[in-house]
């Protein structure tokens, strides 16, 4: 019973696999709609009650967090392994023997992947191979009609922040900003920072050149005692004195910013209309209510220091940018601020557009997956070919190894090989082909021609060699899929009962 409950989640995701996979509409309890075919997102937003089914959700989540891509495939594989295990259990084979057979088969499959892998050269001067890899990831997404543009944006953003010597990529330097309205094609990569703010006063200049910015986390207001206090104003003179004190403090703050050489103030906190008016009078453009993460990104991009007190503001702590400008969208008068030509060219922003919120959010998930794949190639530049070719090749290798095993585990190993074939079968089914006939043909050709690159021709191009079609997956991602799915299935096979609080014995 524990095993059989798992098939539903995997069956739900099976139709979302591959470039011809279908999307799902997920409706939240508040009535919010999400359209996606990303496995991790579908499972995360599904209302799952069964305790074991929740493990499936965590499986796709761990694949998403570690690799970023292949979340649908890992759940489909785990579901197929459980289906095969159920058949073996019905025949009377002990679950521990099945689990051991699966572990042996997974080890053989992972070792076989190393033998069929190719090495990719990650080079900033030759981006084309990386772009083609990103296009494979984007092929099954809603953004595939402008897949090349999104792939180039993903590659350029990762190469901008990548340290190729240390093989490290800092995602902290990449910001993804979304805005509804416009077309997907209007999305762009900005070498700088975009923030969803405007100048604090409508009469401040909309474009500044050669900008020196003061990045402030101190409030733009007169100092107050930290303890509880009351101010008693008993006469007009007292009130005027208080007003004069406020004015004096505002002017002192503005003069300190001006003296440091800054011509733009970016403040984490707000300031009232009087301070705003004084900034305008003193020709000091300002931006208020800028969030903490954005402040940090602006500081990294412009080479500035975040200043917590006005007294600490000095010229060496200012950030530098070639241009700061406001951009306006359509007829809504929505504006955003773009900080370009920064001192540190590594900080970039992906600015995504789309006709509605659902498309923009799906575009964000899609480009995140593509960026994760490129990041994985920077870390480990070995690849395998997609289209189900590596699963078929691993299934053949596992089947051959199973014939040499004298113990009962050989049945579990053959079942593992059959489960691996569920991925190419799902690809063929979703592409409108006869799944069994297509798989049988490709499998026999792989054995006959000894070519592990032959897979399912989902796009119906008349070519089964995935190297020619440039359908590429990272080796680290594929290994992780097999290992995670096997570990989860082993764990489920060792469970024989589920007990919840309040249940009768």
């Amino acid at each position: 019973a524990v095993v059989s409950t798992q098939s539903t989640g995997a069956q739900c995701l099976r139709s979302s696999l591959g470039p011809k996979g279908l999307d799902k509409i997920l409706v939240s309890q508040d009535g919010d709609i999400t359209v996606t075919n990303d496995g991790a997102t579908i499972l995360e937003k599904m209302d799952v009650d069964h305790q074991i089914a929740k493990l499936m959700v965590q499986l796709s989540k761990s694949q998403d967090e570690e690799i970023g891509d292949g979340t649908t495939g890992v759940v489909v594989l785990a579901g197929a392994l459980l289906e095969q295990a159920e058949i073996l259990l019905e025949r009377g084979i002990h679950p521990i023997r099945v689990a051991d057979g699966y572990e042996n088969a997974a080890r053989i499959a992972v070792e076989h992947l190393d033998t069929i892998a190719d090495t990719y050269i990650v080079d900033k001067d030759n981006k084309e191979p990386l772009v083609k890899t990103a296009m494979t990831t984007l092929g099954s997404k809603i953004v595939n009609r402008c897949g090349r543009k999104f792939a180039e944006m993903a590659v350029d953003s990762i190469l901008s922040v990548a340290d190729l010597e240390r093989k490290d990529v800092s995602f902290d330097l990449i910001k993804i900003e979304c805005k509804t309205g416009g077309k997907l094609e209007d999305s762009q990569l900005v070498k700088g920072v975009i923030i969803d703010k405007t100048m604090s006063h409508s009469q401040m200049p909309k474009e500044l050149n050669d900008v020196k910015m003061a990045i402030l986390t101190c409030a733009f207001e007169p100092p107050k005692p930290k303890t509880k206090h009351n101010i008693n104003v008993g006469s007009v003179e007292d009130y005027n004195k208080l007003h004069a004190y406020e004015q004096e403090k505002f002017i002192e703050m503005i003069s300190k910013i001006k003296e440091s050489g800054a011509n733009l103030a970016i403040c984490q906190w707000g300031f009232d209309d009087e301070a705003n008016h004084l900034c305008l009078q003193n020709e000091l453009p300002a931006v208020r209510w800028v969030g903490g993460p954005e402040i940090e990104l602006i500081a990294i991009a412009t080479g500035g220091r975040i200043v917590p007190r006005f007294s600490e503001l000095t010229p060496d702590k200012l950030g530098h940018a070639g241009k700061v400008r406001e951009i306006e969208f359509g007829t809504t008068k929505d504006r955003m601020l773009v900080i370009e030509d920064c001192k540190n060219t590594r900080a970039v922003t992906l600015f995504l557009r789309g006709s509605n919120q659902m498309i923009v959010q799906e575009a964000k998930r899609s480009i995140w997956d593509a960026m994760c794949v490129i990041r994985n190639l920077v870390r480990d530049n070995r690849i395998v070919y997609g289209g189900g070719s590596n699963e078929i090749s691993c299934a053949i290798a596992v089947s051959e190894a199973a014939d040499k095993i004298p113990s009962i585990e050989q049945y579990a190993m053959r079942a593992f090989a059959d489960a691996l074939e569920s991925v190419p079968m799902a690809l063929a089914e979703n592409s409108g082909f006869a799944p069994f006939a297509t798989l049988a043909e490709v499998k026999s050709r792989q054995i006959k021609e000894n070519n592990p690159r032959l897979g399912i021709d989902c796009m119906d191009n008349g070519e089964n060699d995935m190297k020619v079609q440039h359908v590429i997956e990272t080796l680290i991602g594929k290994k992780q899929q097999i290992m995670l799915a096997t570990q989860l299935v082993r764990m489920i096979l060792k469970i024989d009962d589920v007990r919840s609080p309040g249940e009768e014995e």
Side-chain angles (χ1 to χ4, degrees), residues 161 169-175 293 297 300 347-348:
V161 304
V169 174
S170 173
F171 273 137
D172 295 339
L173 296 171
I174 301 173
K175 183 170 187 270
L297 196 61
I300 292 166
V348 295

Side-chain angles (χ1 to χ4, degrees), residues 50-70:
H50 199 282
Q51 291 80 357
I52 307 293
K54 286 176 182 173
L55 297 174
M56 220 46 144
V57 178
Q58 290 167 6
L59 170 72
S60 69
K61 199 173 178 186
S62 59
Q63 175 78 10
D64 195 33
E65 286 170 357
E66 186 65 25
I67 302 297
D69 189 35

Side-chain angles (χ1 to χ4, degrees), residues 27-43:
V27 184
S28 73
Q29 291 174 336
D30 302 331
D32 295 334
I33 293 174
T34 306
V35 178
T36 184
N37 69 355
D38 179 60
T41 310
I42 292 169
L43 285 175

